[in-house]
Amino acid sequence: MSNGVTIGQAAAFVGVTVKTVRHYHKLGLVAEPERDSSGFRRYGSAELLRLVQVRMLAAAGVRLAEIGPMLDADATRLATALADVGRQLTERIEDLTARRDTLHRLADGDRALLGDHAVALLERMTGLGFATDEVANAREGWVLAKALVPEGFDDYLTHVEGALDDPRYVALIKRAAEAAAWEPDDPRVAELATTMAEHYLANPAHLKIITALQARTEAATRYTLIARHGEEQTSATTRAAAVFETKLRAAGIHIPRSDAR
């Protein structure tokens, strides 16, 4: 009886396919045993050990091109190489974990685009009785704000959070949302804009909601894109916003002008 096992048996013992064993031979990772008197290649313990080592390193993510030099190195160099592989695997794990977390956030929609703080505030607005359309419009405006003025977005949310504690502010914003259904020449438009301006001027903390999103560059363009999001150009909301901004400017508050150059 010949010593050793056939290639099929060796592959089964190690947990790979015959094709994989032959691929290892082709790459020079495992020496191909000589044929016995019967013409068969027999794998002894040395070849099986090498196959196990190659399979384990490959399974750990080591590139096949790196396995040969690692196994042929002395114990110290092998330990160093294995430590390097371990660090690489840790980096890959961290990267994959971050990608997985991003996918989870994307599946949650708003959390990926806005973050937990903004989502909590949107949920709070719903709980305070804001209309679904108003919450949706706020969400879209915040997505724009975070993209266009990222450096001011967190502060902006903090200011909004504080203002939502004030029932007068909440009532005023709900009233402003109702204005979207008014005609542009409705006398209530100017009255609402005046009331809003007076409220913000009397409450500096709330006024920061208006000023927090003024970008450091291209201020007028970015501010207008955010502030006018969801408005029709001839709507009562747009007219109210224009009157509101005029009154704030008259009070010395810097509000970028859409026609600024």
Side-chain angles (χ1 to χ4, degrees):
M1 181 177 179
S2 299
N3 292 327
V5 297
T6 65
I7 187 172
Q9 291 172 311
F13 290 166
V14 174
V16 295
T17 65
V18 170
K19 182 178 180 181
T20 296
V21 174
R22 287 178 173 148
H23 185 57
Y24 290 166
H25 289 325
K26 182 177 180 181
L27 295 178
L29 296 177
V30 179
E32 194 171 20
E34 298 293 332
R35 297 182 184 277
D36 63 10
S37 58
S38 302
F40 294 101
R41 298 187 187 279
R42 297 285 176 175
Y43 291 74
S45 59
E47 290 83 13
L48 286 174
L49 174 61
R50 182 80 172 194
L51 279 172
V52 169
Q53 292 172 327
V54 173
R55 192 261 300 168
M56 291 182 68
L57 287 172
V62 181
R63 291 181 296 179
L64 293 180
E66 299 174 353
I67 290 178
M70 288 179 65
L71 292 179
D72 294 335
D74 58 39
T76 300
R77 290 173 56 196
L78 175 59
T80 300
L82 289 174
D84 288 340
V85 172
R87 283 191 291 271
Q88 293 172 19
L89 289 175
T90 297
E91 291 174 359
R92 287 177 59 189
I93 290 170
E94 292 173 350
D95 179 60
L96 290 172
T97 299
R99 294 186 186 187
R100 181 198 61 193
D101 291 344
T102 297
L103 286 175
H104 288 169
R105 290 195 301 272
L106 286 173
D108 198 12
D110 289 346
R111 294 187 190 278
L113 295 171
L114 294 170
D116 292 338
H117 192 184
V119 170
L121 289 179
L122 290 173
E123 292 173 349
R124 187 176 175 192
M125 289 177 66
T126 299
L128 288 170
F130 282 88
T132 301
D133 289 348
E134 177 63 12
V135 175
N137 192 58
R139 173 194 175 277
E140 292 177 354
W142 292 359
V143 170
L144 278 175
K146 185 175 183 181
L148 296 177
V149 196
E151 67 275 11
F153 188 64
D154 288 340
D155 287 341
Y156 168 78
L157 292 180
T158 298
H159 300 321
V160 170
E161 183 175 24
L164 290 177
D165 289 330
D166 187 339
R168 296 169 301 167
Y169 173 83
V170 172
L172 190 61
I173 298 304
K174 288 181 180 179
R175 180 68 169 165
E178 294 173 1
W182 300 348
E183 293 296 328
D185 57 356
D186 190 313
R188 293 176 297 176
V189 172
E191 178 185 351
L192 172 63
T194 300
T195 301
M196 290 182 66
E198 291 174 347
H199 174 86
Y200 280 106
L201 291 172
N203 296 272
H206 296 182
L207 185 59
K208 291 179 181 179
I209 295 174
I210 306 299
T211 59
L213 293 179
Q214 295 182 13
R216 297 171 186 170
T217 59
E218 298 179 271
T221 299
R222 300 189 194 203
Y223 172 82
T224 301
L225 284 169
I226 297 167
R228 296 292 181 269
H229 172 72
E231 295 179 5
E232 296 181 7
Q233 294 302 309
T234 59
S235 70
T237 304
T238 299
R239 179 170 173 247
V243 174
F244 169 72
E245 291 174 359
T246 297
K247 291 185 176 297
L248 290 186
R249 292 189 186 103
I253 305 301
H254 175 71
I255 303 292
R257 297 179 182 274
S258 60
D259 57 353
R261 294 290 183 270

